[in-house]
Amino acid sequence: MQRPSVRSKSEERSSHIMRAAAVGIEKEEMLASTPDSLLREQSSESEGIRGRFERIIRDAQNRIVAAVEEEDGEGKFREDAWARPGGGGGVSRVMQGGKVWEKAGVGVSVVYGTMPPEAYRAAKGNNSVNGASNGASGGVPFFAAGISSVMHPRNPFAPTMHFNYRYFETEEWNGIPGQWWFGGGTDITPSYVDEEDMRHFHGIYKRVCDNHDPAYYPKFKQWADDYFLCKHRNQRRGLGGIFFDDLNDRPQDEILAFSTEALGAVTESYLPLVQKHKNDPFTEQQKEWQQMRRGLYVEYNLVYDRGTTFGLKTAGRIESILMSLPLTARWEYCPPVDPTSPEAELVDACTNPRTWV
């Protein structure tokens, strides 16, 4: 019964951070070339957790982009980089019109901002900290870095995949203690159920979780099933994976190691599924079904996804924020689904989460 309260706290915190960051993050400026680091104070930050995490996500972006380009065989990622006047920035890499992937994106970002003390108190549930009440000016400085990706294959039997891993911290300010936490996860969104595929995907992440804490996989698998629920459809957008937030219950190095291994498992968990299905024959009706499932994906991302809403509410770079959306999608009015069909099986699996491993 403890996990739901953690999620509620996380959602409340995210809401306050979104509102606070809307006035605490500066507009980006496009760069002619990509810098080696996005950190504001590279000399002092590079050897700490900020620098270590940035290097991990930048290296992961390079490796994943190279692996996807190799598998696609034709498509190439476009790279855009930007910086913010007060520090931080991002690098987006997006491929459109590939042979295997219709659209794929991998983005990294480093964000510096401030949040009002009252937002911090509400997010942390601590009304005893000092802040605006004693006349102090300014806000609580925060730092956030992360990597996110969504990949939409052409073939309706090859699944869409999403991952996001992030690190967030606040600095000590006027008696308000600094805090840090990690969040993220990897999840899969097929248009058709292939149990062997799901055993492979979930099995990889169970192994990663078990390497760090046997309690992680059941907890984070359930968290993903809850988090990726499209409430107005009463369906998950896909068949889950792992998801976690506010993780700071053990030393930073331990959680950093877990996040790093989970991020490193992306290609192992996902690319074999694309290799297996990229040349499967399919009908026009099956392609239309994929397009409709993408429509639900769009609905979820724009209505519920905290990363997307955070970006939209903080005046972020809109093209990078919306790179997760598919190149094409479909919405039909009251589409009929044969209850004995493979399409109905997918709806059932998204409505009633299954145990895959």
Side-chain angles (χ1 to χ4, degrees), residues 94-158:
V94 178
M95 177 173 70
Q96 290 185 170
K99 180 180 179 181
V100 176
W101 280 275
E102 188 173 282
K103 186 179 179 186
V106 186
V108 297
S109 63
V110 172
V111 178
Y112 296 84
T114 59
M115 60 193 304
E118 59 270 20
Y120 179 89
R121 287 198 299 269
K124 296 301 298 175
N126 184 351
N127 293 318
S128 65
V129 296
N130 297 321
S133 60
N134 64 11
S137 61
V140 182
F142 74 84
F143 169 89
I147 181 170
S148 61
S149 173
V150 178
M151 300 187 185
H152 297 286
R154 291 185 178 277
N155 195 298
F157 293 104

Side-chain angles (χ1 to χ4, degrees), residues 311-332:
L312 293 174
K313 292 182 179 181
T314 57
R317 182 173 183 258
I318 191 65
E319 295 295 341
S320 299
I321 296 165
L322 298 182
M323 76 176 186
S324 64
L325 301 184
L327 196 60
T328 60
R330 184 183 182 97
W331 287 267
E332 289 187 14

Side-chain angles (χ1 to χ4, degrees), residues 9 23 34 47 71 115 149 164 210 265 298 301 313 324 341:
K9 179 181 176 182
V23 295
T34 302
E47 298 307 314
E71 181 62 37
M115 60 193 304
S149 173
N164 172 276
D210 288 350
V298 171
N301 275 30
K313 292 182 179 181
S324 64
S341 68

